[in-house]
Amino acid sequence: MTRMLRAALAAAALSTTAAASAEAQSGKGLFVGIQYAGASVNVKDAADDLEFGSGFGVHAGLGLSARWSVLGNFDRSVLTGNSADVRLTQYDALLRLQLIGAASPVKLFVTGGATARSANAGRDFEGIAPTGGGGVQLFLSSGLAVHGTALWTFGNLTRANQLSGNTIDQQLKSTGTRVQAGASLYLFGR
């Protein structure tokens, strides 16, 4: 009888721990993190594209529910152009929807929003454009997750040219591609 009681208590403890862990890994609550960021930009009708370069990023967000999160992201990468290296800075305001993985530590998600970009290498480019993508998140514990994300940003970059005292804005269609690999710390999550 003692053996059955121990087995029943162990099963109850295991199911309680699994339920608490699944709740903690739901993605709810405030989170902050860092990531490696790789990026490239293809500019239509430009003499040269900005080849893949690497950098860093930070992010902060709030898990509103087990499926929805809002996220602010900052990335800076150094890309290679034909004439010089280019510093690409990107600020994202994103909404993340978890598709699969409600009771699992592995979660698949899609994300979308807007990105403000600027690039500088002796010439200035800037613009705000729509961004979309997806990724996977793995909870290593109730408060620590690692992620991999792929993002695409479409839209115009504006180039300001100074010609004989007049400023002329040139709109360049561009596609930005980004990959991120990082970690998030969930603070005050349930």
Side-chain angles (χ1 to χ4, degrees), residues 12-102:
L14 183 60
S15 65
T16 303
T17 302
S21 176
E23 178 64 24
Q25 295 175 4
S26 69
K28 292 181 187 176
L30 181 66
F31 59 94
V32 295
I34 59 173
Q35 70 254 357
Y36 160 83
S40 66
V41 177
N42 181 322
V43 181
K44 186 177 180 182
D45 300 327
D48 61 327
D49 292 329
L50 302 177
E51 300 296 330
F52 185 85
S54 62
F56 71 94
V58 294
H59 61 268
L62 180 63
L64 303 172
S65 70
R67 292 182 58 94
W68 292 98
S69 298
V70 293
L71 175 67
N73 186 63
F74 164 82
D75 285 334
R76 176 169 286 154
S77 301
V78 178
L79 285 61
T80 304
N82 282 343
S83 56
D85 287 346
V86 175
R87 289 185 325 268
L88 177 65
T89 303
Q90 301 182 95
Y91 298 91
D92 304 300
L94 302 170
L95 185 62
R96 182 188 286 175
L97 171 62
Q98 179 182 305
L99 298 175
I100 300 172

Side-chain angles (χ1 to χ4, degrees), residues 79-152:
L79 285 61
T80 304
N82 282 343
S83 56
D85 287 346
V86 175
R87 289 185 325 268
L88 177 65
T89 303
Q90 301 182 95
Y91 298 91
D92 304 300
L94 302 170
L95 185 62
R96 182 188 286 175
L97 171 62
Q98 179 182 305
L99 298 175
I100 300 172
S104 168
V106 178
K107 305 188 183 309
L108 298 176
F109 61 87
V110 295
T111 189
T115 298
R117 304 180 284 177
S118 66
N120 180 288
R123 56 190 192 262
D124 291 323
F125 297 93
E126 62 185 14
I128 297 175
T131 294
V136 62
Q137 186 175 38
L138 169 64
F139 276 85
L140 302 176
S141 70
S142 62
L144 180 64
V146 293
H147 73 274
T149 307
L151 296 169
W152 292 270

